[in-house]
Amino acid sequence: DTGEEKAVAAYFEGRGMRYQLVLVQQWSDAVKSYVEGKCTLLTGDTTLLAYERSRMDKPRDHLVLAEPVTQEQKGPFVRQGDD
């Protein structure tokens, strides 16, 4: 299990919610699974989720939840010399 898988398990189990984890190799496959209804929730960096939401046919039908599922640190990267 990865840290993210453990965090998702803790999130749902801590709330007494059932879930089935769907693992994919690529982010694009995760988004496709969500859009096609193969899964009901997509977890990732909030800005990436907001971007994917904006690309959907009906963005208002999808919510980026305010409560984070994980506390993993994520940060931006820049080109060398742009720091």
Side-chain angles (χ1 to χ4, degrees):
D1 287 351
T2 66
E4 203 164 309
E5 289 174 48
K6 290 177 185 176
V8 169
Y11 181 88
F12 285 98
E13 290 168 4
R15 288 159 179 78
M17 299 168 69
R18 293 184 359 209
Y19 74 98
Q20 181 177 353
L21 198 58
V22 177
L23 301 174
V24 295
Q25 293 295 318
Q26 302 288 326
W27 173 253
S28 59
D29 294 332
V31 174
K32 183 178 178 186
S33 291
Y34 176 80
V35 169
E36 292 176 350
K38 294 178 182 174
C39 61
T40 58
L41 178 134
L42 184 62
T43 184
D45 180 81
T46 305
T47 54
L48 186 55
L49 293 172
Y51 168 73
E52 294 296 350
R53 177 182 179 259
S54 74
R55 297 177 59 215
M56 294 182 178
D57 289 338
K58 296 182 179 179
R60 292 178 187 235
D61 288 353
H62 308 275
L63 299 173
V64 176
L65 302 177
E67 183 179 2
V69 173
T70 70
Q71 298 299 321
E72 291 184 16
Q73 297 295 317
K74 299 187 182 208
F77 66 92
V78 297
R79 289 185 180 88
Q80 284 187 352
D82 285 350
D83 52 341

